[in-house]
Amino acid sequence: MSDNVVKFRRIEKKPEPPVKKPRWPAPAWVPFVVLVAIAVGIYFVQQSGMLGG
C-alpha cells in the first residue's frame, strides 16, 4: 500500500545574499545633519553676497 503514496521533496531555498555593511559605522541621523549643514552653509553664502544674489 505504501507504493501509492506520493512523496514530496522539500523545495531548496536559495541562500540569502549577505547584507552590505556601511563603509564606516555611523548613526542614522548623520545624513540628515550633513544635509542641514549644507543648507545652512548655502544660506550664509547667499547672505554674504558671494553668489551675486
Side-chain angles (χ1 to χ4, degrees):
M1 185 162 169
S2 64
D3 295 337
N4 295 335
V5 175
V6 178
K7 295 185 179 180
F8 291 98
R9 191 178 68 204
R10 213 173 248 255
I11 299 173
E12 296 179 10
K13 294 181 181 178
K14 294 180 181 178
E16 296 182 6
V19 178
K20 292 183 179 179
K21 295 181 180 178
R23 292 182 184 170
W24 49 282
W29 50 265
V30 169
F32 176 74
V33 170
V34 170
L35 192 64
V36 169
I38 291 172
V40 170
I42 291 172
Y43 172 77
F44 282 120
V45 168
Q46 286 178 339
Q47 293 301 313
S48 68
M50 292 174 63
L51 294 178

